[in-house]
Amino acid sequence: MRRPTITGLVVVVGLLLLADLLVVNSALQDVAGVVVDATILVAAGAALAAGAALVARRLGDLWRRRGDPIGALLVIAGVAAMIAAGLRPGSDGTSDPAVQWLLAALLIPIASTLFGLLFVSTIAAARRSVATGSREAVVLVTATVVTIVLLVPLSGGIGSWLSDAGGSVLGSAVMSVFRGLLIGIALLGAVYAARTMLGIGTADE
Amino acid sequence: MSERRVSWALLGPGLLVVVLGAAWLLPELPALGLEASDDGAPAGMGATFDELGPDPLVLVGFDADIGTYAEVRPTVRTVMADLLARDARIAFVSLTVEGRAVALAEQARLERAEANANRLLDLGLIPGAEAGLVDLTKGIRPGENPTAQAFAREVAATGIAAFDAIVVVGGNDLGPRSWIEQVAPRIEPVPIVAITPSVLLPEVLPYVASGQLAALLGTPRDGAAYRATAEVGPLERLVEPGGPRPLPVLIGLLVALGVMGQALVVRLIGATRSLGDRDDA
């Protein structure tokens, strides 16, 4: 059986913040403020810990000569360069010109290029999915083809018609499904939290 | 995989880049245009800015996603130029590391283009995701800002209430939805407008319909239509020259349509044949 401590904590904190939003009470506001500050600290600590864990993992890979040594070296060099630029004595932190150069001249173009490659890999993946004969893939790719046609950048009356048709598809069909999904996921989350707090497991546990 | 397929897999992407590059160099075709948008979004953005008082203070929640930022970048730069042309003072804040990286690059660009530094304030990165947004409504602590000291003092004294409008540059997890859910109920009503890539439309459009978002530029067409109408006067240097060309966009769309359409047609033919075989049997 799952331990309900974490779920219970989340529910209590959520209710506290909700009460702070709805009820004007200075004591409640102070408590909610402390909770929010603690959450920020935990989130910042978790982000730092994740970065440190990544570096430790890559150092371990190099030490034990496993995995991809070039990739590990590049990750460590990248982290070291950013730390040196931002934390060296006399640095302006994230506003330092060296940090800004690393971001604007290296990080953003490299990351954008990687995302640009997704164009090729995504349509190749879509093609392969259809080739496997999956009905879901056929429906998904057919809907994508229709959407792409609506995005064709024509000017004049046809362009306006396509734009309006695209807006209608988004505003009715896609939106209805998306809202339904959101409501479903929210309900599922609430039921899961309640079951965990009450100690009710699923049938296979 | 056959030898021919291997050759296509290796040469195809390179060939596509060459064709897109060539298309970029060709002159504009009158039949193509990105700015065909009749949904009123560009006008809504302009009208929201028109309603701001003189010398407005604008908070920009900059949490773009590096992958999709190219889609909104020209529009974001035009919005910044438009706001500065209206004598606005702009404060940047980010809640994600990725958003902070892009925000820093954009602020450095504004600095290089000699935008008035007294009107730009960097509020930095606030960790904690939604909790950080809630914290932002309780008080703002600007760091050292040697160029915009008066602006920083005003924001430190008044907090988020100092701002006349909020512009959210979305793309990441913490986009317009988070601002409307976490910030809007906790502050006095101010117009919140957003610039987002198309991928966020299903998430953001309901807030436009409900009026919680005063305006949204959420598609390349909306962005192009807004850029075509924005009057930035002498601050033209802050705007991205050119902008996306429709012909390369069209070629990219046609390639995607061709690849996926071919797969669907092959699948359809296969399904028809198997139905025919079953009937024969």
Side-chain angles (χ1 to χ4, degrees), chain B residues 265-279:
Chain B
V265 169
V266 168
R267 171 87 186 113
L268 190 66
I269 291 171
T272 313
R273 274 188 189 157
S274 66
L275 271 178
D277 293 346
R278 207 179 298 163
D279 288 345

Coordinates of all heavy atoms in Angstrom, one line a residue, chain B residues 265-279:
Chain B
V265 N -1.6 7.5 -48.3 CA -2.1 6.9 -49.5 C -1.7 5.4 -49.6 O -2.5 4.6 -50.0 CB -1.6 7.7 -50.7 CG1 -1.9 7.0 -52.1 CG2 -2.3 9.1 -50.8
V266 N -0.4 5.2 -49.3 CA 0.1 3.8 -49.3 C -0.8 2.9 -48.4 O -1.2 1.8 -48.8 CB 1.6 3.7 -49.0 CG1 2.0 2.3 -48.7 CG2 2.4 4.3 -50.1
R267 N -1.1 3.4 -47.2 CA -1.9 2.7 -46.3 C -3.3 2.4 -46.8 O -3.8 1.3 -46.6 CB -1.9 3.5 -45.0 CG -2.9 3.0 -43.9 CD -2.2 1.9 -43.0 NE -3.2 1.3 -42.1 CZ -3.6 0.1 -42.2 NH1 -3.1 -0.7 -43.1 NH2 -4.4 -0.4 -41.3
L268 N -3.9 3.5 -47.4 CA -5.2 3.3 -48.0 C -5.2 2.3 -49.1 O -6.2 1.5 -49.2 CB -5.6 4.7 -48.6 CG -7.1 4.9 -49.0 CD1 -8.0 4.8 -47.8 CD2 -7.3 6.2 -49.7
I269 N -4.2 2.3 -50.0 CA -4.2 1.3 -51.1 C -4.0 -0.1 -50.5 O -4.7 -1.0 -50.9 CB -3.0 1.6 -52.0 CG1 -3.3 2.9 -52.8 CG2 -2.7 0.5 -53.0 CD1 -2.1 3.5 -53.6
G270 N -3.2 -0.2 -49.5 CA -3.0 -1.5 -48.8 C -4.3 -2.0 -48.2 O -4.7 -3.2 -48.4
A271 N -5.1 -1.1 -47.6 CA -6.3 -1.5 -46.9 C -7.3 -1.9 -48.0 O -8.1 -2.9 -47.8 CB -6.8 -0.4 -46.1
T272 N -7.4 -1.2 -49.1 CA -8.3 -1.5 -50.2 C -8.0 -2.8 -50.8 O -8.9 -3.6 -51.0 CB -8.2 -0.4 -51.3 OG1 -8.3 0.9 -50.6 CG2 -9.4 -0.5 -52.2
R273 N -6.7 -3.1 -51.0 CA -6.3 -4.4 -51.6 C -6.7 -5.5 -50.7 O -7.2 -6.6 -51.1 CB -4.8 -4.4 -51.8 CG -4.5 -3.8 -53.2 CD -3.0 -4.0 -53.4 NE -2.6 -3.2 -54.6 CZ -1.4 -2.8 -54.8 NH1 -0.4 -3.1 -54.0 NH2 -1.1 -2.1 -55.9
S274 N -6.5 -5.4 -49.4 CA -6.8 -6.5 -48.5 C -8.3 -6.7 -48.4 O -8.7 -7.9 -48.3 CB -6.2 -6.2 -47.1 OG -6.9 -5.1 -46.5
L275 N -9.1 -5.6 -48.5 CA -10.5 -5.8 -48.6 C -10.9 -6.6 -49.8 O -11.8 -7.5 -49.8 CB -11.2 -4.4 -48.6 CG -11.5 -3.8 -47.2 CD1 -12.1 -2.4 -47.4 CD2 -12.5 -4.7 -46.4
G276 N -10.3 -6.2 -51.0 CA -10.6 -6.9 -52.2 C -10.2 -8.4 -52.1 O -11.0 -9.2 -52.6
D277 N -9.0 -8.7 -51.6 CA -8.6 -10.1 -51.4 C -9.6 -10.9 -50.6 O -9.9 -12.0 -50.9 CB -7.2 -10.1 -50.8 CG -6.2 -9.5 -51.7 OD1 -6.5 -9.4 -52.9 OD2 -5.0 -9.2 -51.3
R278 N -10.1 -10.2 -49.5 CA -11.0 -10.9 -48.6 C -12.3 -11.2 -49.4 O -12.9 -12.3 -49.2 CB -11.3 -10.0 -47.4 CG -11.7 -10.8 -46.2 CD -12.0 -9.9 -45.0 NE -10.8 -9.2 -44.6 CZ -10.8 -8.1 -43.8 NH1 -12.0 -7.6 -43.4 NH2 -9.7 -7.5 -43.5
D279 N -12.8 -10.2 -50.2 CA -14.0 -10.5 -51.0 C -13.8 -11.6 -52.0 O -14.7 -12.5 -52.1 CB -14.4 -9.2 -51.8 CG -14.9 -8.1 -50.8 OD1 -15.3 -8.5 -49.7 OD2 -15.0 -6.9 -51.2

